[in-house]
Amino acid sequence: MTAPPIERVRPERSGRRVRYRLRVAAVASALTLMCALAGAVAARVYHGQTLLLLVAGAAFGAFAIGFALRNRPAFLAPSASLVGLAAYLLGAVAITSDGADPLPATVADALVNAVPRTLTALIPVEPAPDTVVVPVFLTWLAATLACEFAIRYGRTLLGCLPPTLLYGAGLYLVGPNAAAGTVWAVAFCVLAAAALAVTAAPPERRPDTDAVVDGPAPSRAPALMGMVATAAVLLAVMALLVPVAARLVTSSPGDPREYVEPPRLTDIDLNPLVRIAEWSKYPDQDLFKADTSADAWMRLAVLTEYDGTTWQAAGDFRTAGTVIPGSGDADYSADVEIIGLGGKLVPAAADPASVTGLPIAVNLGTRCLLTPDGLATGSTYHVDSALVAVDAAAAETARANLADAATVAVPPGTPEIMATIADYIRTTYDTPYERAQGLADFLAGHYAYNPEAPSGHDLPSLGFFLGSPVDAGGQRGTSEHFAAAYAIIARLIGLPSRVVVGFEVPGGSSTVTAAQGSAWPEVDFDGVGWVRFDPMPAPDAVPVPPEDTLEQMEEETPAPRRTPAAGARPRTSTTRPWSRTATSTTRSPRRPGACRCGSGTRSGRSCSRASRCSSRPAGPCAGAAGSRAGRPPSGSRARGRRSSRRRRGRA
């Protein structure tokens, strides 16, 4: 029995087969790099290199599966690619997960919330299971389609379409939040040109095991001429259209995050000032445990907008990862365990730099934190903060920062008592810092703390607090009333102000109770930032009736005589809400050159605060209750008050 003759492969056919395989490999490499590059466009707004490595792995993995099964039945490659995608996504979720929840629950949460959390995440986006699923999935899908079109069916131009769409989606996701990626765009175009230049042959011309090649090899000259002509046309079109397109672009790219609703506050968090009354009535209520590295005020909410009824925070919360951008180097840390605080707002010292243990959203304007799932009993988290240091010396000479109109806006219908106090502060003190501190001293010296005062910081309630007599329940309130009244009067003076709700937390391990919760005002100074002021009275201080000081101010500034016009009604006197006698509603400025307190002259500005106040028996600058000269500095006075309030809360 003779052996069958061995078929010898002709050299020209073997050479064509090698060249074909080289072209296929070149096209596959170019398209793989295009998919990896297109997926990496979105990584420019992500923190670290994790997403860049994940999308590169997805591009190579999907293309490897498609390339290995290019000569198999058409249904096999997509099926295998789907299994590979599921396994790769599971690995990506496991890599980026913090391990706090079981892996199945983490995968389910990531798949359900991937799109909204990717679009609402704070930039730079922290690689997390729910923020990497979308880029990895789209990169894998683009690579699979590109391999099928270009390698299986030999349509290289059609194979360039999926990575091109992925590149556009990445640009849209980045929006105006990253620098122009010119190098990325040039590299992508070069790879596309390379893939088209060595385009693969269609299936009927494959010199492979599943194709028969007959006839002589095609000439290279027409292909080269066509490639050169195509390249020349493309360059000419780009040279003509690029300058025109550049002139048409007059604005920055749109941001898709504008169309996605960010996390929202609950009713209890929209206006946290109302919680002060409950905390004052039940001071022994345990809110959370804290183990901190130093004494600090942990903020819960910063409220800048006031409509005459409620104080609310401005701006939206954006989903953030463990790292919060925009903060300095952390020099403070706290481990917190929630007991009975509730709500969604997360206590943290300003400015928080990183948070672990909770999903976090941050308000970039106020740097306050929110957890979308809410604070449940037993929830724990760790927060590192870069404590904000205030230059007191610079604040004393700084101007008020009036850049933000929302911080100086005053609603209509403010009570007359607020305008009267604002006039008194404005005429008594000179610099913005003196007026801010003087207003705090005025409220602390003329009003008293009462934990049983009813809640309310709308204009009528604050007017009652400031102007009603003591026997009617006025002139007594909680930190809610003091902080809200201070902020509004400060705006009437021309000082940008806001209200902060938070807790005074000592260093070390402690349980924070409701007695440590309070509200305080802050004033914004140019070049210094927000400075905290304490308008709360000392525990043992006896307040001076505010009407004594304000009536004396009007007595020292008599109204000028005016001749009424013919037919005009004479002005009638009205009674102030705080006044015990009728006083004129018209006041004149003090006499030129006269001292504000009436005790001397201001020649050469020789009248000091002590001399101005020496002849004022009932003003806030006289007596033990209000002497500015005899009071300790505001920082030590505030510490004394805080210590006294803690002792009172524990008692």
Side-chain angles (χ1 to χ4, degrees):
M1 184 176 181
T2 59
I6 299 176
E7 182 181 357
R8 297 183 180 274
V9 181
R10 290 179 297 177
E12 63 273 11
R13 182 176 178 182
S14 176
R16 292 174 57 188
R17 182 177 298 173
V18 171
R19 289 193 296 271
Y20 168 77
R21 289 175 177 174
L22 290 176
R23 288 198 301 268
V24 170
V27 172
S29 300
L31 290 177
T32 302
L33 292 176
M34 288 175 63
C35 292
L37 188 61
V41 170
R44 293 186 296 161
V45 294
Y46 278 71
H47 177 72
Q49 304 296 323
T50 303
L51 183 65
L52 180 62
L53 297 177
L54 289 176
V55 296
F60 281 95
F63 231 99
I65 294 176
F67 189 83
L69 301 177
R70 66 188 186 279
N71 293 323
R72 302 300 178 183
F75 70 89
L76 188 59
S79 302
S81 182
L82 183 61
V83 175
L85 172 61
Y88 195 85
L89 285 178
L90 185 63
V93 170
I95 291 174
T96 56
S97 175
D98 56 4
D101 297 324
L103 186 59
T106 303
V107 172
D109 179 75
L111 295 178
V112 171
N113 301 299
V115 174
R117 289 182 183 173
T118 301
L119 294 180
T120 59
L122 184 67
I123 295 174
V125 181
E126 186 72 16
D130 48 13
T131 59
V132 302
V133 166
V134 172
V136 169
F137 171 78
L138 293 180
T139 303
W140 188 284
L141 179 62
T144 299
L145 294 177
C147 183
E148 288 296 299
F149 292 149
I151 305 304
R152 178 179 292 275
Y153 299 106
R155 302 292 184 260
T156 307
L157 182 59
L158 188 60
C160 293
L161 180 61
T164 303
L165 295 178
L166 178 62
Y167 193 96
L171 292 178
Y172 184 69
L173 178 64
V174 171
N177 303 295
T182 305
V183 177
W184 298 68
V186 171
F188 187 85
C189 293
V190 169
L191 290 173
L196 293 174
V198 292
T199 183
E204 62 271 11
R205 299 189 62 187
R206 289 182 182 175
D208 211 337
T209 56
D210 59 346
V212 178
V213 177
D214 297 323
S219 176
R220 297 181 182 179
L224 291 175
M225 293 178 60
M227 182 177 63
V228 172
T230 303
V233 172
L234 289 177
L235 290 176
V237 171
M238 291 178 62
L240 293 175
L241 295 183
V242 167
V244 177
R247 286 194 295 268
L248 293 177
V249 178
T250 58
S251 60
S252 61
D255 194 345
R257 294 159 187 83
E258 299 176 356
Y259 306 104
V260 180
E261 184 176 358
R264 293 296 180 182
L265 297 172
T266 59
D267 293 339
I268 195 175
D269 296 320
L270 282 173
N271 185 18
L273 266 180
V274 299
R275 307 179 72 177
I276 298 294
E278 178 187 357
W279 293 343
S280 299
K281 291 181 180 179
Y282 305 100
D284 296 329
Q285 179 186 4
D286 294 338
L287 300 181
F288 59 90
K289 295 180 180 180
D291 187 1
T292 64
S293 59
D295 297 348
W297 288 89
M298 297 186 71
R299 303 184 310 175
L300 191 67
V302 175
L303 313 174
T304 56
E305 295 182 351
Y306 184 66
D307 58 3
T309 303
T310 59
W311 283 90
Q312 293 186 356
D316 294 325
F317 285 84
R318 293 292 179 184
T319 304
T322 58
V323 178
I324 299 175
S327 301
D329 296 331
D331 54 4
Y332 172 88
S333 63
D335 290 290
V336 179
E337 179 182 353
I338 301 300
I339 300 176
L341 180 59
K344 291 185 175 182
L345 296 175
V346 178
D351 284 332
S354 64
V355 182
T356 57
L358 284 178
I360 288 296
V362 63
N363 187 318
L364 287 180
T366 63
R367 315 293 296 177
C368 289
L369 303 179
L370 172 148
T371 179
D373 300 332
L375 295 174
T377 301
S379 299
T380 60
Y381 64 94
H382 176 86
V383 56
D384 293 320
S385 301
L387 294 181
V388 178
V390 175
D391 189 347
E396 292 179 357
T397 58
R399 298 177 299 174
N401 184 8
L402 305 178
D404 188 358
T407 60
V408 292
V410 179
T414 53
E416 188 178 0
I417 179 64
M418 289 186 172
T420 305
I421 296 175
D423 290 343
Y424 172 79
I425 299 298
R426 189 183 297 108
T427 57
T428 305
Y429 304 99
D430 295 324
T431 66
Y433 184 85
E434 288 180 349
R435 291 173 177 175
Q437 185 59 56
L439 177 57
D441 293 341
F442 182 90
L443 295 178
H446 292 80
Y447 297 90
Y449 173 78
N450 181 10
E452 300 296 329
S455 176
H457 52 271
D458 56 290
L459 290 177
S461 297
L462 296 179
F464 179 85
F465 161 67
L466 295 171
S468 296
V470 177
D471 54 4
Q475 304 178 22
R476 303 290 186 270
T478 64
S479 61
E480 172 190 3
H481 304 95
F482 280 89
Y486 180 103
I488 299 172
I489 298 174
R491 294 185 178 188
L492 291 174
I493 300 172
L495 300 175
S497 61
R498 66 185 186 183
V499 176
V500 183
V501 179
F503 307 92
E504 182 186 16
V505 181
S509 181
S510 64
T511 298
V512 179
T513 64
Q516 295 166 256
S518 65
W520 63 86
E522 293 182 349
V523 176
D524 192 10
F525 293 97
D526 190 18
V528 178
W530 290 97
V531 179
R532 178 183 179 274
F533 289 90
D534 185 12
M536 295 297 294
D540 301 329
V542 179
V544 176
E547 57 266 24
D548 292 349
T549 301
L550 298 178
E551 285 178 355
Q552 180 180 352
M553 177 191 68
E554 293 202 347
E555 291 173 359
E556 294 174 354
T557 55
R561 293 180 177 272
R562 294 183 179 180
T563 303
R569 288 187 177 183
R571 293 180 64 92
T572 58
S573 297
T574 59
T575 303
R576 302 279 188 186
W578 42 263
S579 178
R580 292 172 297 189
T581 60
T583 57
S584 173
T585 59
T586 305
R587 296 188 297 275
S588 66
R590 65 182 188 280
R591 299 184 304 275
C595 173
R596 286 190 173 95
C597 64
S599 61
T601 64
R602 299 182 68 246
S603 302
R605 303 183 64 86
S606 61
C607 178
S608 64
R609 293 186 183 127
S611 66
R612 285 206 302 263
C613 303
S614 60
S615 62
R616 305 185 70 156
C621 303
S627 175
R628 300 183 79 250
R631 284 190 175 190
S634 61
S636 60
R637 199 177 91 249
R639 288 192 294 271
R641 290 175 185 166
R642 296 195 294 266
S643 300
S644 300
R645 286 201 297 271
R646 283 203 303 271
R647 291 194 295 270
R648 183 172 67 244
R650 288 194 289 267

